Amino acid sequence: MDTFPLTVGSVTRALPVVKVSPTRSIPLIEMLGDFELTNAVADELVKLIPLETEMLFTVETSGVALGHAVAERLNLPYKVARRHRRSYFKNPLIQEVEGMTLGVHDTLWLDGRHAEQLVGKRVSILADVVVSGSTNASLAKLVERAGGIVLGYYSGFVQGEPIIPVNYVYRLPTQLEGTPV
């Protein structure tokens, strides 16, 4: 299997190169289950988060581990938008994602009790990887609808040309030269 070398801080990984279309292969970053890489990315990402941030906001599942690591380092609370309604939600905010990188329809849910905690807060939106930015733009809509103020978008990795301005630790290629497709 072809791999792509990645080093963040003192952590090095050989990312698998995966075929995403008949003519395109990319390095696949997966931080879930890799606490060393998650912590290395968090150590770098905290340097980008504005000091005036009062709350962090991310989406399940992939953003949770990184969101937690960053929140812990900055001693900040964080909230998580869900991809499915939970029976215990009270007056949830619902936001459609307007264009999916994976070609799959998506909806984000925020429990009303969590939305109340965003009112008047300066919020930084976190992601592990941003490709198109559509999920993050939808997260921003949730923050604004809840009465929060979006300070910006922060990601461990960018892979593509997002529709939003993203502050990131590392840019991954969107096509690897010479990789078999």
Side-chain angles (χ1 to χ4, degrees):
M1 174 192 290
D2 288 329
T3 60
F4 178 83
L6 171 74
T7 300
V8 178
S10 63
V11 176
T12 298
R13 294 290 182 265
L15 303 180
V17 174
V18 298
K19 188 174 174 178
V20 293
S21 77
T23 60
R24 198 167 128 220
S25 296
I26 62 169
L28 177 65
I29 182 77
E30 291 183 295
M31 292 194 301
L32 285 176
D34 189 339
F35 72 90
E36 292 175 322
L37 181 59
T38 298
N39 284 325
V41 172
D43 287 341
E44 297 302 315
L45 196 54
V46 297
K47 299 172 188 175
L48 305 177
I49 306 292
L51 294 176
E52 62 269 22
T53 298
E54 297 173 294
M55 177 92 58
L56 303 173
F57 192 45
T58 191
V59 67
E60 71 172 2
T61 296
S62 60
V64 174
L66 182 60
H68 182 87
V70 171
E72 187 174 50
R73 283 160 175 74
L74 295 175
N75 194 31
L76 288 172
Y78 70 101
K79 296 297 170 201
V80 179
R82 308 296 290 266
R83 295 187 186 273
H84 302 283
R85 183 184 177 115
R86 304 294 186 232
S87 61
Y88 53 82
F89 280 2
K90 301 246 187 239
N91 302 314
L93 294 180
I94 305 163
Q95 184 64 53
E96 298 293 322
V97 177
E98 295 178 8
M100 285 296 298
T101 303
L102 303 175
V104 178
H105 172 76
D106 207 0
T107 303
L108 302 179
W109 298 78
L110 181 62
D111 188 337
R113 292 172 288 202
H114 294 172
E116 290 171 0
Q117 296 173 39
L118 293 172
V119 174
K121 298 289 187 200
R122 294 179 300 246
V123 180
S124 289
I125 295 176
L126 299 183
D128 59 342
V129 182
V130 175
V131 179
S132 72
S134 59
T135 299
N136 294 67
S138 295
L139 287 171
K141 288 178 182 177
L142 281 173
V143 169
E144 291 165 352
R145 287 177 53 209
I149 302 150
V150 175
L151 295 179
Y153 306 91
Y154 305 89
S155 181
F157 302 92
V158 165
Q159 191 168 34
E161 298 302 324
I163 60 172
I164 54 170
V166 180
N167 300 283
Y168 58 89
V169 173
Y170 192 96
R171 177 176 287 280
L172 291 169
T174 57
Q175 170 68 47
L176 294 175
E177 296 296 322
T179 57
V181 290

